[in-house]
């Protein structure tokens, strides 16, 4: 029996297994593998460390990691808009750029982007052009999130690429880092 591709939102319990899986990771698994969430948490923790590095550089604390189907990291990024004077230097964009260099291809099929904050509209555009298979993000962005909060980015009828996504993995850690950052910024005004 062939598994049906699923696009759009999946639950954290449906996250695909990374290591030694019989199920293609480009499609969400139908059965929750025992260790899958732990593996994804480790990858999200890497993204959170990158977000912390961004915060230490006085950037908005967002981090992102691109992994292949085996869980190998192809690209990492942390917000650097202020540091490098580049409005496009969002964590997701930088991680996708690095992964594209590793792959020597601007298309990144059979990869998954893991980030600490729901991507914005610009990053959604890059995700669609890169042709990633899936997206996992920690905290929702109620002001500018383009995947579910302000736009159904994974279900746009007029684009020729679809991807699955899961939200909420280590969301509280990411949200707390962002709250603390902006609270401190307001105090400095």
């Amino acid at each position: 029996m062939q598994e049906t591709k699923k696009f759009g939102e999946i639950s954290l319990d449906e996250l695909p297994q990374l290591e030694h899986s019989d199920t293609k990771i480009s499609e969400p698994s139908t059965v929750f593998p025992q260790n899958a969430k732990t593996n994804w948490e480790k990858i999200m923790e890497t993204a959170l460390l990158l977000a912390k590095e961004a915060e230490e550089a006085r950037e908005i604390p967002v981090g992102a990691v691109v992994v292949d189907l085996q869980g190998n990291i192809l690209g990492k990024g942390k917000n650097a808009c202020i540091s490098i004077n580049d409005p496009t230097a969002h964590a997701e964009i930088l991680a996708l750029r690095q992964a594209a260099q590793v792959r020597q291809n601007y298309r990144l099929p059979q990869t998954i982007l893991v980030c600490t904050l729901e991507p914005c509209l610009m990053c959604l555009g890059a995700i669609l052009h890169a042709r990633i298979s899936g997206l996992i993000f920690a905290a929702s962005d109620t002001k500018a999130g383009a995947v579910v909060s302000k736009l159904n980015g994974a279900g746009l009828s007029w684009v020729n690429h679809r991807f699955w996504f899961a939200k909420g993995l280590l969301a509280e850690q990411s949200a707390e880092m962002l709250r603390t950052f902006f609270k401190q910024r307001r105090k400095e005004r």
Side-chain angles (χ1 to χ4, degrees):
M1 186 166 127
Q2 190 171 347
E3 188 175 349
T4 306
K5 278 194 173 186
K6 183 175 181 180
F7 301 106
E9 185 172 4
I10 65 169
S11 74
L12 292 177
D13 290 340
E14 294 177 285
L15 287 176
Q17 187 171 3
L18 284 173
E19 300 171 325
H20 312 295
S21 175
D22 295 331
T23 308
K24 285 185 175 181
I25 202 166
S26 60
E27 301 174 15
S29 60
T30 54
V31 179
F32 176 61
Q34 188 72 27
N35 64 347
K37 192 181 279 188
T38 304
N39 291 336
W40 288 114
E41 285 173 351
K42 288 176 184 172
I43 294 168
M44 184 62 79
E45 286 168 356
T46 300
L48 285 165
L49 287 172
L50 291 163
K52 187 68 178 161
E53 290 176 14
E55 179 181 40
E56 290 167 0
R58 302 189 49 79
E59 297 278 356
I60 296 173
V62 178
V65 178
V66 176
V67 296
D68 66 14
L69 303 187
Q70 290 72 45
N72 300 310
I73 294 176
L74 302 175
K76 296 180 187 179
K78 58 188 174 197
N79 272 8
C81 297
I82 298 166
S83 303
I84 64 173
N85 298 307
D86 180 352
T88 69
H90 288 196
E92 302 93 328
I93 300 287
L94 297 176
L96 290 168
R97 284 179 184 163
Q98 192 175 81
Q101 289 299 309
V102 167
R103 284 261 178 105
Q104 291 293 291
N105 195 332
Y106 73 109
R107 300 286 197 216
L108 298 169
Q110 299 184 348
T111 62
I112 295 152
L113 176 63
V114 179
C115 49
T116 60
L117 185 65
E118 178 181 0
C120 70
L121 187 58
M122 176 184 68
C123 294
L124 172 65
I127 286 166
L128 292 169
H129 285 289
R131 305 288 198 264
I132 66 163
S133 298
L135 166 68
I136 301 170
F137 64 89
S140 295
D141 184 350
T142 57
K143 292 183 179 182
V147 178
V148 290
S149 295
K150 293 293 181 186
L151 181 68
N152 179 11
L156 297 172
S157 63
W158 46 270
V159 297
N160 63 353
H161 177 67
R162 302 279 185 267
F163 61 93
W164 58 262
F165 71 91
K167 61 182 181 176
L169 183 64
L170 303 182
E172 188 50 41
Q173 291 93 318
S174 177
E176 182 58 33
M177 191 182 304
L178 287 159
R179 279 192 296 270
T180 302
F181 175 81
F182 285 112
K183 185 177 180 180
Q184 183 61 36
R185 275 300 214 24
R186 285 189 294 274
K187 280 183 183 179
E188 293 171 3
R189 287 186 195 169

